[in-house]
Amino acid sequence: MERPLGVRKGAWSEEEDNLLRKCIEKYGEEKWHQVPLRAGLNRCRKSCRLRWLNYLKPNIKRGGFEADEVDLILRLHKLLGNRWSLIAGRLPGRTANDVKNYWNTHLRRKTVSCDEHLKEKEAKTHTVNIIRPRPRTFSKNIKWLEDKSIFQNIAQPEDNSLCKDSESVWWENVLGGKEFGQGASSSVGRLGEEQQLPSKNLLGENSSPGTTKGEEYNVFYEVGQFLPSDLWLDVDFSDLLNTQQQQFILG
DNA sequence: AACATGAGCAACCGCAACGGT
DNA sequence: CACCGTTGCGGTTGCTCATGT
């Protein structure tokens, strides 16, 4: 059972906070299922974890969001959608819950009206067959992956920030000259080899979930992560990939 | 002063992913 | 490969407080 009978719910008291804080300081942030027992708290493990992550953890930034933080949230949300933990990861001292709450109370309405405007605009323009890369883990047995030239020039900019310039440079690298799928050299190999994709993407997070021991490719995951959603609307990948490749990416 | 309403935030819930066996 | 326990995430709820009437 998830919740034993009589487990306490609702707001945390100062005493409970102290017990939890001491427990985490002593045992660390792991084995959450043992925390209620270790701390002597009549709370479920989820509640303990949430309280620590959202409130008690050191370095948590309280108070209103600054202008640059708001700007970053807007950009990252455009890029990632409702992936609050990823967005919060780029905002030092902010939790996913903080970001989510701020978005829902301050920013959602603003972007809704903006989106409606974009949809109207989009409806008036021609439609194209967009292939949107999805996070995928590639088996080494996929034959067309052997043609490493497909991924030529896909490399993240040196500068790991999200500034417009680095994005532009990167896109020029990706799409420049339509050599994507036709070129001769390679910047991608099996993970673990010298010419692998960067292990971190533009967001500074470790990518390649589920990829193990350098046995699998994880290429379009990176591409998908990099694509700003507004650019997705403008890029027709069917020009860049053959039918087999398109089908594989679409899943 | 009393009540209604809305905003902000903390906490809960359900589910998917992950890892161990 | 299936099962099970655990973890982490996002959506949602509900409480508190400020503001308006």
Side-chain angles (χ1 to χ4, degrees):
Chain A
M1 285 293 282
E2 179 60 32
R3 185 151 41 90
L5 276 170
V7 113
R8 190 175 144 83
K9 290 167 75 173
W12 281 65
S13 68
E14 204 176 322
E15 188 188 357
E16 287 177 310
D17 283 347
N18 288 332
L19 286 170
L20 179 58
R21 195 180 287 113
K22 280 177 188 170
C23 176
I24 301 298
E25 281 168 4
K26 188 173 178 182
Y27 297 101
E29 287 179 64
E30 53 187 13
K31 295 183 179 165
W32 286 106
H33 63 287
Q34 293 179 359
V35 167
L37 193 67
R38 283 172 167 172
L41 284 163
N42 188 25
R43 294 271 185 175
C44 73
R45 57 183 169 79
K46 279 186 174 183
S47 185
C48 292
R49 179 180 166 271
L50 209 63
R51 183 64 177 173
W52 173 257
L53 291 177
N54 289 337
Y55 195 81
L56 296 176
K57 196 173 179 175
N59 305 324
I60 285 182
K61 206 168 164 181
R62 318 302 305 180
F65 282 70
E66 292 165 17
D68 58 336
E69 289 178 308
V70 174
D71 184 56
L72 192 53
I73 290 170
L74 286 166
R75 285 165 177 268
L76 289 173
H77 188 271
K78 199 174 182 184
L79 179 64
L80 297 167
N82 294 357
R83 296 171 72 183
W84 306 117
S85 60
L86 290 181
I87 295 172
R90 300 294 294 173
L91 293 160
R94 300 297 188 184
T95 69
N97 212 33
D98 284 340
V99 174
K100 180 173 59 182
N101 284 335
Y102 188 81
W103 177 267
N104 286 335
T105 54
H106 293 89
L107 303 176
R108 188 166 54 181
R109 280 182 224 105
K110 288 182 190 175
T111 55
V112 164
S113 58
C114 185
D115 285 348
E116 281 170 358
H117 176 70
L118 279 174
K119 277 178 187 171
E120 278 177 27
K121 193 180 169 186
E122 197 184 329
K124 288 174 187 171
T125 59
H126 70 288
T127 55
V128 292
N129 182 27
I130 300 300
I131 299 169
R132 178 182 290 209
R134 296 177 181 182
R136 295 294 297 265
T137 299
F138 287 65
S139 163
K140 61 181 175 181
N141 296 325
I142 303 298
K143 235 188 167 182
W144 56 266
L145 274 168
E146 290 168 12
D147 177 15
K148 294 179 178 180
S149 63
I150 288 167
F151 310 107
Q152 183 182 15
N153 294 332
I154 303 181
Q156 73 179 111
E158 289 293 314
D159 179 5
N160 212 28
S161 72
L162 270 171
C163 71
K164 198 76 183 175
D165 285 344
S166 63
E167 277 184 16
S168 304
V169 169
W170 186 82
W171 271 99
E172 282 169 18
N173 286 340
V174 173
L175 300 173
K178 296 219 172 183
E179 287 173 310
F180 191 65
Q182 297 166 16
S185 64
S186 167
S187 66
V188 166
R190 199 180 292 181
L191 292 173
E193 290 178 0
E194 195 178 340
Q195 284 192 318
Q196 66 182 46
L197 272 177
S199 61
K200 285 184 175 231
N201 61 21
L202 268 180
L203 302 173
E205 59 170 335
N206 288 320
S207 52
S208 312
T211 306
T212 55
K213 299 173 188 171
E215 288 296 320
E216 292 170 321
Y217 292 91
N218 198 324
V219 177
F220 277 96
Y221 182 82
E222 311 284 348
V223 178
Q225 287 285 5
F226 287 162
L227 293 180
S229 54
D230 53 346
L231 283 171
W232 263 329
L233 297 174
D234 299 323
V235 176
D236 183 356
F237 276 84
S238 60
D239 288 345
L240 305 172
L241 305 169
N242 65 36
T243 308
Q244 188 189 8
Q245 291 161 355
Q246 291 174 20
Q247 284 174 354
F248 190 86
I249 293 161
L250 290 168

